[in-house]
């Protein structure tokens, strides 16, 4: 009976350790917010690009949109990896 109880306690402890806590959830939400903000900024730049009649400006704005989105994705991914490493 003791071995069974000990096994249950160990399983419960491992299960709890695998669950994310409030701090981890908040950190992941913050990383997601960085990604979403970059996406919003990129969409705004793409709309600005679509609205211009200057082809060079359109190209430059689309490149900037891509760079902004890629930077936000990279930062968000790095934040997620750090959270997973820390928790």
């Amino acid at each position: 009976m003791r071995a069974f109880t000990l096994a249950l306690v160990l399983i419960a402890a491992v299960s709890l350790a695998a669950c994310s806590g409030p701090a981890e959830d908040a950190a992941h939400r913050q990383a997601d917010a960085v990604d979403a903000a970059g996406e919003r900024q990129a969409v705004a730049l793409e709309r600005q690009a679509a609205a211009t009649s200057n082809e060079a400006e359109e190209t430059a704005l689309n490149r900037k949109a891509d760079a902004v989105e890629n930077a936000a994705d990279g930062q968000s991914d790095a934040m997620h990896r750090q959270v997973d490493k820390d928790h």
Side-chain angles (χ1 to χ4, degrees), residues 12-22 24-25 87:
V14 169
S15 295
L16 286 175
C19 294
S20 62
E24 182 178 2
D25 292 343
H87 296 276

Side-chain angles (χ1 to χ4, degrees), residues 7-73:
L8 285 177
V9 169
L10 289 173
I11 290 170
V14 169
S15 295
L16 286 175
C19 294
S20 62
E24 182 178 2
D25 292 343
H28 279 297
R29 282 193 302 274
Q30 186 177 16
D32 291 340
V34 166
D35 189 40
E39 180 69 28
R40 284 191 303 273
Q41 188 176 4
V43 167
L45 288 165
E46 289 167 348
R47 286 183 183 150
Q48 190 178 353
T52 187
S53 59
N54 182 325
E55 192 171 328
E57 184 178 357
E58 180 181 0
T59 300
L61 287 167
N62 281 322
R63 285 183 180 153
K64 185 174 181 180
D66 290 342
V68 165
E69 188 171 8
N70 289 336
D73 284 344

